[in-house]
Amino acid sequence: MTVGEYLVPRSLPEAIDLLERHGPELLVMAGGTLTMPLINEGIAMPDRVMSLRHAGLGGIERRGDVLGIGATTTLTQLLAEEGVPLLREAARNMASWPIRNMATVGGNLFTPSPGGDVAVALLALDAQVRLAGPRGTRVVPLADFHTGFMTNALAADELLVEISVPTTVRQTAFIKFGRKHANTPAVVTVAVALERRDGQISAARIALGAAGPHPIRVAGAEAAIVGSALEAGVIEQAAAAAVRECRPLTDALATEWYRRRMVGVFVRRALELIVEQHRARVAESA
Amino acid sequence: MGSKIVTFVLGGREVEVMVKPMTTLQAVLRYQLGYTAVKEGCRQGGCGSCTVLVEGEPVLACLLPAEDVAGQQVTTLESITPVDGLDPLQQAFLDASGFQCGYCTPGMIMVSKALLEHNPRPTREEILDALAGNICRCTGYEPIVAAVEGAAQAGAAPGAQRR
Ligand SMILES: Cc1cc2nc3c(=O)[nH]c(=O)nc-3n(C[C@H](O)[C@H](O)[C@H](O)COP(=O)(O)OP(=O)(O)OC[C@H]3O[C@@H](n4cnc5c(N)ncnc54)[C@H](O)[C@@H]3O)c2cc1C
Ligand code: FES
Ligand code: FES
């Protein structure tokens, strides 16, 4: 164990202050499920580590039609939150119970591909992220947060403090396809959030995980379904567009070739799921 | 940058340990306190063999700096084993042949213990979901699931009728 100092701030101002004082060499850790394996293995050998576990950034708050999710909210806490079904589905499909008890929602945005299952759902919900540093706070759309493989818009002296999502989006679907049924990294993850007006899709967001250097949206597939009533032919077009647009990686789990094909299969299935849910809802209210 | 004294409650008894920065709870329990039921399989969060309960919830001791449990309740397999005899869950694992080499067993039992506390009558699906992070290389899992089902039927959860 080579770590020289372990800092455990008790508030956000204290955490920001420590980060400013010690500079970018200070390793920030939330739930530790990504960081601790690297330290245990000697891959990361930080001089100083700061834990956010007791900095008061956990917990979920409702503000009208918005859900504010503190950065260090655990995935178990997210799973218990009933306001946004898409996020529950994402949390339910992630890792194992003990990992969910430790891993944070904020940390999931820093998880390299093929990880970041919750981030994919958050992207489909058009989440906003709040970043705080010595110069104050700024809010950035999650769509602009990731800038490349393991790079993002966070400045070296900033911390992620909150992720907010609307609670009003109701037509959603989440599918994580892995090599095993549970506790497995994704071959591909698909999250869809749609808005419908007078039977037609008025807004569409389709987000993919393990299909790019970070969670991505597929604009061509989204455009294919806006204005439609999600007819079978339209769904096929959207799936084909997603296959063209995605940029999957090859790793030990799956090749780029296989992932690209699975993007087509699971975008189609996710949209079919929404059609089924919609039909059931219409039948129920009739 | 020296060591720190950390105090926590282990199996109902307050303990005080001197730890270097970021020493894991796993290392403290195994090597400083001799609680060797806390296994050291992968130190990556991937096997579940180091599972302990912190404030009653299962967590992985290999991913947890000991400083983070200051003031909290930690429960290991040692803490739930009565002075003479076995916890009903341990007995259920014995009855169902829920282990062979036994390496995964403490982790399996700690997760199952927490599951039955939360949910005294889990379905098979709920048992599989709870144990999804615990790897067993011997049994093929079926006897483990049977053991948890058996314990649930026998009312092994403290909240249930029989103890
Ligand atoms: C066995 C196992 C299974 C897993 N399964 C899955 C899975 O199915 N799906 C999945 O998506 N992931 C999975 N993961 C990865 C990981 O657990 C999750 O992505 C988790 O959400 C990461 O959060 P954390 O708080 O534990 O990260 P940490 O390790 O605490 O943090 C990781 C990095 O994020 C940064 N960071 C975290 N929070 C902040 C903040 N508030 N401000 C600034 N920087 C911050 C830090 O730079 C830090 O280095 C798994 C991990 C393990 C060990
Ligand atoms: S040793 Fe902790 S999960 Fe494997
Ligand atoms: S009994 Fe040997 S690993 Fe489970």
Side-chain angles (χ1 to χ4, degrees):
Chain A
M1 191 63 58
T2 54
V3 179
E5 195 177 11
Y6 186 51
L7 302 161
V8 188
R10 296 281 155 176
S11 69
L12 178 62
E14 195 189 333
I16 290 172
D17 193 50
L18 285 170
L19 187 56
E20 196 181 15
R21 186 132 40 97
H22 294 293
E25 284 92 72
L26 181 68
L27 184 90
V28 175
M29 180 167 114
T33 61
L34 280 175
T35 312
M36 289 298 288
L38 300 178
I39 293 176
N40 286 345
E41 206 61 30
I43 295 168
M45 290 196 260
D47 231 15
R48 284 197 182 82
V49 177
M50 175 168 79
S51 165
L52 297 179
R53 199 170 254 136
H54 299 289
L57 299 177
I60 301 180
E61 188 184 271
R62 266 172 198 258
R63 295 187 295 263
D65 284 346
V66 170
L67 205 63
I69 305 164
T72 63
T73 302
T74 65
L75 295 172
T76 296
Q77 286 173 296
L78 190 65
L79 190 55
E81 165 59 49
E82 294 181 354
V84 184
L86 184 63
L87 292 180
R88 282 193 97 181
E89 267 307 288
R92 198 175 65 76
N93 278 282
M94 222 203 89
S96 63
W97 184 18
I99 292 274
R100 290 194 296 268
N101 283 341
M102 308 179 83
T104 69
V105 178
N108 201 255
L109 302 189
F110 296 87
T111 306
S113 200
D117 294 324
V118 176
V120 177
L122 289 167
L123 188 59
L125 291 168
D126 211 9
Q128 309 277 309
V129 296
R130 190 144 57 85
L131 314 177
R135 282 156 284 113
T137 299
R138 63 190 176 116
V139 175
V140 176
L142 179 57
D144 297 336
F145 181 74
H146 295 107
T147 53
F149 184 73
M150 294 187 78
T151 57
N152 55 57
L154 193 76
D157 58 359
E158 284 181 318
L159 295 170
L160 168 65
V161 294
E162 192 190 73
I163 303 113
S164 56
V165 293
T167 55
T168 45
V169 186
R170 274 287 162 263
Q171 310 234 345
T172 57
F174 182 90
I175 303 180
K176 174 177 171 181
F177 170 59
R179 295 223 159 213
K180 295 190 295 173
H181 179 65
N183 191 23
T184 184
V187 169
V188 57
T189 300
V190 181
V192 181
L194 305 181
E195 283 157 53
R196 210 185 271 258
R197 196 169 306 141
D198 306 325
Q200 288 199 334
I201 304 302
S202 56
R205 289 182 299 274
I206 302 177
L208 304 178
H214 50 75
I216 57 166
R217 276 176 57 184
V218 275
E222 295 173 351
I225 59 176
V226 171
S228 82
L230 279 187
E231 299 84 354
V234 171
I235 290 180
E236 287 304 335
Q237 279 170 23
V243 169
R244 284 193 300 274
E245 284 178 275
C246 67
R247 292 169 287 149
L249 323 160
T250 291
D251 62 14
L253 290 161
T255 59
E256 188 265 352
W257 183 92
Y258 181 62
R259 280 204 164 100
R260 195 174 281 280
R261 272 144 192 85
M262 292 307 105
V263 163
V265 170
F266 287 96
V267 165
R268 174 167 56 73
R269 286 198 195 163
L271 291 172
E272 286 169 352
L273 217 67
I274 290 190
V275 171
E276 278 164 37
Q277 287 164 7
H278 184 66
R279 265 197 212 119
R281 226 176 272 146
V282 170
E284 211 173 276
S285 62
Chain B
M1 285 151 221
S3 299
K4 259 189 211 152
I5 293 174
V6 175
T7 308
F8 58 97
V9 180
L10 179 57
R13 233 186 37 187
E14 196 170 278
V15 293
E16 204 178 72
V17 287
M18 181 88 113
V19 299
K20 289 199 190 126
M22 288 198 89
T23 309
T24 62
L25 181 62
Q26 175 183 54
V28 166
L29 291 170
R30 273 183 75 79
Y31 301 116
Q32 279 178 256
L33 298 170
Y35 279 54
T36 53
V38 181
K39 298 299 175 214
E40 195 178 74
C42 65
R43 296 164 76 230
Q44 298 285 300
C47 74
S49 73
C50 66
T51 310
V52 301
L53 309 185
V54 171
E55 300 287 314
E57 300 298 324
V59 295
L60 303 172
C62 69
L63 302 184
L64 195 59
E67 285 129 289
D68 284 19
V69 302
Q72 295 186 310
Q73 304 265 353
V74 177
T75 311
T76 70
L77 188 78
E78 286 91 345
S79 343
I80 67 163
T81 309
V83 180
D84 42 15
L86 296 172
D87 181 89
L89 248 172
Q90 291 173 307
Q91 186 63 48
F93 270 69
L94 198 57
D95 294 343
S97 300
F99 54 88
Q100 288 174 31
C101 80
Y103 199 87
C104 68
T105 314
M108 292 284 181
I109 291 184
M110 295 321 289
V111 174
S112 305
K113 189 83 187 163
L115 173 67
L116 296 183
E117 292 265 358
H118 283 276
N119 179 0
R121 293 274 168 187
T123 62
R124 189 184 156 81
E125 284 303 307
E126 287 165 339
I127 295 170
L128 292 178
D129 180 61
L131 292 174
N134 292 70
I135 288 177
C136 175
R137 287 294 187 231
C138 304
T139 64
Y141 300 99
E142 278 306 319
I144 293 172
V145 177
V148 181
E149 282 173 338
Q153 263 152 30
Q161 64 281 34
R162 205 193 60 133
R163 178 78 228 229

